[in-house]
CSV table of all heavy atoms in Angstrom, one decimal:
chain,number,residue,atom,x,y,z
B,333,TYR,N,42.3,-12.6,-8.8
B,333,TYR,CA,41.5,-11.6,-9.5
B,333,TYR,C,40.8,-10.8,-8.6
B,333,TYR,O,40.6,-11.1,-7.4
B,333,TYR,CB,40.5,-12.4,-10.5
B,333,TYR,CG,41.2,-13.2,-11.5
B,333,TYR,CD1,41.3,-14.6,-11.2
B,333,TYR,CD2,41.7,-12.7,-12.6
B,333,TYR,CE1,42.0,-15.4,-12.1
B,333,TYR,CE2,42.4,-13.5,-13.6
B,333,TYR,CZ,42.5,-14.8,-13.3
B,333,TYR,OH,43.2,-15.6,-14.2
B,334,ARG,N,40.2,-9.7,-9.1
B,334,ARG,CA,39.2,-8.9,-8.3
B,334,ARG,C,37.9,-9.5,-8.6
B,334,ARG,O,37.6,-9.8,-9.8
B,334,ARG,CB,39.3,-7.4,-8.8
B,334,ARG,CG,38.2,-6.6,-8.2
B,334,ARG,CD,38.3,-5.1,-8.7
B,334,ARG,NE,39.5,-4.5,-8.1
B,334,ARG,CZ,39.4,-3.9,-6.9
B,334,ARG,NH1,38.3,-3.9,-6.2
B,334,ARG,NH2,40.5,-3.4,-6.4
B,335,ILE,N,37.1,-9.7,-7.6
B,335,ILE,CA,35.8,-10.3,-7.8
B,335,ILE,C,34.7,-9.2,-7.4
B,335,ILE,O,34.9,-8.4,-6.5
B,335,ILE,CB,35.5,-11.5,-6.9
B,335,ILE,CG1,34.2,-12.2,-7.2
B,335,ILE,CG2,35.7,-11.2,-5.4
B,335,ILE,CD1,34.0,-13.5,-6.5
B,336,LYS,N,33.7,-9.1,-8.3
B,336,LYS,CA,32.6,-8.2,-7.9
B,336,LYS,C,31.3,-9.1,-7.8
B,336,LYS,O,30.9,-9.7,-8.8
B,336,LYS,CB,32.4,-7.1,-9.0
B,336,LYS,CG,31.3,-6.1,-8.5
B,336,LYS,CD,31.3,-4.9,-9.4
B,336,LYS,CE,30.2,-3.9,-8.9
B,336,LYS,NZ,30.0,-2.8,-9.8
B,337,HIS,N,30.8,-9.2,-6.6
B,337,HIS,CA,29.7,-10.0,-6.3
B,337,HIS,C,28.6,-9.0,-5.7
B,337,HIS,O,28.9,-8.3,-4.7
B,337,HIS,CB,30.0,-11.1,-5.3
B,337,HIS,CG,28.8,-11.8,-4.7
B,337,HIS,ND1,28.4,-11.5,-3.4
B,337,HIS,CD2,28.0,-12.7,-5.2
B,337,HIS,CE1,27.3,-12.3,-3.2
B,337,HIS,NE2,27.1,-13.0,-4.2
B,338,THR,N,27.4,-9.0,-6.2
B,338,THR,CA,26.4,-7.9,-5.9
B,338,THR,C,27.2,-6.6,-5.8
B,338,THR,O,27.8,-6.2,-6.8
B,338,THR,CB,25.7,-8.2,-4.5
B,338,THR,OG1,26.6,-8.1,-3.4
B,338,THR,CG2,25.0,-9.6,-4.6
B,339,THR,N,27.2,-5.9,-4.7
B,339,THR,CA,27.8,-4.6,-4.6
B,339,THR,C,29.2,-4.7,-3.9
B,339,THR,O,29.7,-3.7,-3.4
B,339,THR,CB,26.9,-3.5,-4.0
B,339,THR,OG1,26.6,-4.0,-2.7
B,339,THR,CG2,25.7,-3.3,-4.8
B,340,ARG,N,29.6,-5.9,-3.7
B,340,ARG,CA,30.8,-6.1,-2.9
B,340,ARG,C,32.0,-6.4,-3.8
B,340,ARG,O,31.9,-7.3,-4.7
B,340,ARG,CB,30.6,-7.3,-1.9
B,340,ARG,CG,31.5,-7.3,-0.7
B,340,ARG,CD,31.0,-8.3,0.3
B,340,ARG,NE,31.8,-8.5,1.4
B,340,ARG,CZ,31.7,-7.7,2.5
B,340,ARG,NH1,30.9,-6.7,2.5
B,340,ARG,NH2,32.5,-7.9,3.5
B,341,SER,N,33.1,-5.8,-3.6
B,341,SER,CA,34.3,-6.1,-4.4
B,341,SER,C,35.4,-6.6,-3.4
B,341,SER,O,35.5,-6.1,-2.3
B,341,SER,CB,34.9,-4.8,-5.0
B,341,SER,OG,34.1,-4.5,-6.1
B,342,ALA,N,36.1,-7.6,-3.9
B,342,ALA,CA,37.2,-8.2,-3.1
B,342,ALA,C,38.2,-8.9,-4.0
B,342,ALA,O,38.1,-8.7,-5.2
B,342,ALA,CB,36.5,-9.2,-2.1
B,343,LYS,N,39.1,-9.6,-3.4
B,343,LYS,CA,40.0,-10.4,-4.2
B,343,LYS,C,39.6,-11.9,-4.1
B,343,LYS,O,39.1,-12.3,-3.1
B,343,LYS,CB,41.4,-10.3,-3.6
B,343,LYS,CG,42.0,-8.9,-4.0
B,343,LYS,CD,43.4,-8.8,-3.5
B,343,LYS,CE,43.9,-7.4,-3.6
B,343,LYS,NZ,44.6,-7.1,-4.9
B,344,ALA,N,39.9,-12.6,-5.2
B,344,ALA,CA,39.6,-14.0,-5.2
B,344,ALA,C,40.8,-14.8,-5.8
B,344,ALA,O,41.3,-14.4,-6.8
B,344,ALA,CB,38.3,-14.2,-6.1
B,345,MET,N,41.1,-15.8,-5.1
B,345,MET,CA,42.2,-16.7,-5.6
B,345,MET,C,41.6,-18.0,-6.1
B,345,MET,O,40.7,-18.6,-5.5
B,345,MET,CB,43.2,-17.0,-4.5
B,345,MET,CG,44.4,-17.9,-5.0
B,345,MET,SD,45.4,-18.5,-3.7
B,345,MET,CE,46.4,-17.1,-3.4
Side-chain angles (χ1 to χ4, degrees):
Chain B
Y333 300 96
R334 171 178 289 275
I335 184 172
K336 187 170 181 185
H337 167 259
T338 67
T339 55
R340 200 169 178 84
S341 286
K343 286 183 190 268
M345 181 193 279

